[in-house]
Amino acid sequence: MASQKERMLAGEPYLADDPEIAADAQRAAELGEAFNDSRAADPEGRRAALRALISEVGEDVDVRPPLHVDYGTHISIGPRTFVNYGCVFLDVARITIGADVQIGPGVQLLTPTHPLDPEPRRAKWEAAAPITLGDNVWLGGGVIVCPGVTIGENTVVGAGAVVTKDLPPNVVAVGNPARVTRHL
C-alpha cells in the first residue's frame, strides 16, 4: 500500500497531516523563513537560501522575498526568471517555471485540490495537479493559476486574472476566468 506521500506525489487523494508530509512542510517552513529573512546586502546568502528551499533554480534567477511554498522540493525555476514580492507557490504537485519568465507581485500558483463532496473534505482528503509555465511567460500582479494548468510560451496574463484552464502559446489572456483576448 502506498504511503500518503507517495499518493500525494502520484496526484492521488492523500491526507496532508501524515507525519512524513508534515516533516517536509516543517523543513520548507524553516528554509522559507531563512530565505524571507535574508538580507538584500548579502545577495550570495540570499541565493544560497533560495537554492536550499527550491529544488531547481536556474542561472540568474531573481526571487524577491517574501516567497511562500508548501515544500519547495517540487518547484523548478528556469534561468533568467524574475519573481516579484509576495508570491505563493503551493507545490503539492510539480510546479515547472520555464526560462525568462516574469512573475508579478502577489502571484499564486496553486496545485492543491479538495473534494467537492463534503464528507471527504471534512476528513481532510486532498489531491493536486501540476502547473507548468512555458518559456517567456509574463504573469501580471495578482494572477492566480489553478491546479492542472499549463500556460504556453510567450503568453501574457493580465494582472488579477484567474487562470482555470490551459492557455496556448503566444496569446494575451485577462479576466476571471482568464480568456484569450489577443494573439501575439
Side-chain angles (χ1 to χ4, degrees), residues 64-66 82-89 102-108 138-144 159-160:
R64 298 200 173 161
F82 174 74
V83 179
N84 215 323
Y85 303 105
C87 289
V88 175
F89 297 171
Q102 302 290 313
I103 298 178
V107 166
Q108 299 178 50
W138 174 19
L139 303 181
V143 166
I144 297 173

Side-chain angles (χ1 to χ4, degrees), residues 77-103:
I77 303 174
R80 299 171 307 282
T81 288
F82 174 74
V83 179
N84 215 323
Y85 303 105
C87 289
V88 175
F89 297 171
L90 300 186
D91 63 316
V92 174
R94 190 98 186 119
I95 295 175
T96 305
I97 300 170
D100 302 297
V101 173
Q102 302 290 313
I103 298 178

Side-chain angles (χ1 to χ4, degrees), residues 18-35:
D18 174 77
E20 184 180 14
I21 295 172
D24 290 347
Q26 180 64 32
R27 173 199 164 274
E30 291 169 9
L31 292 172
E33 285 177 0
F35 173 72

Side-chain angles (χ1 to χ4, degrees), residues 108-172:
Q108 299 178 50
L109 305 179
L110 310 175
T111 69
T113 63
H114 300 276
L116 295 177
D117 293 330
E119 289 307 314
R121 190 171 60 248
R122 187 174 294 115
K124 307 300 183 205
W125 286 96
E126 58 185 77
I131 291 174
T132 302
L133 306 180
D135 293 344
N136 203 37
V137 164
W138 174 19
L139 303 181
V143 166
I144 297 173
V145 180
C146 292
V149 167
T150 295
I151 299 176
E153 67 181 13
N154 302 317
T155 287
V156 176
V157 181
V162 178
V163 185
T164 60
K165 295 181 180 172
D166 291 355
L167 293 174
N170 303 304
V171 298
V172 175

Side-chain angles (χ1 to χ4, degrees), residues 31-40 46-47 49-50 53 62-68 82-87 105-106:
L31 292 172
E33 285 177 0
F35 173 72
N36 291 332
D37 292 343
S38 65
R39 300 182 42 81
R46 180 170 281 174
R47 272 191 285 282
L50 180 66
L53 176 62
D62 184 5
V63 177
R64 298 200 173 161
L67 172 68
H68 300 284
F82 174 74
V83 179
N84 215 323
Y85 303 105
C87 289

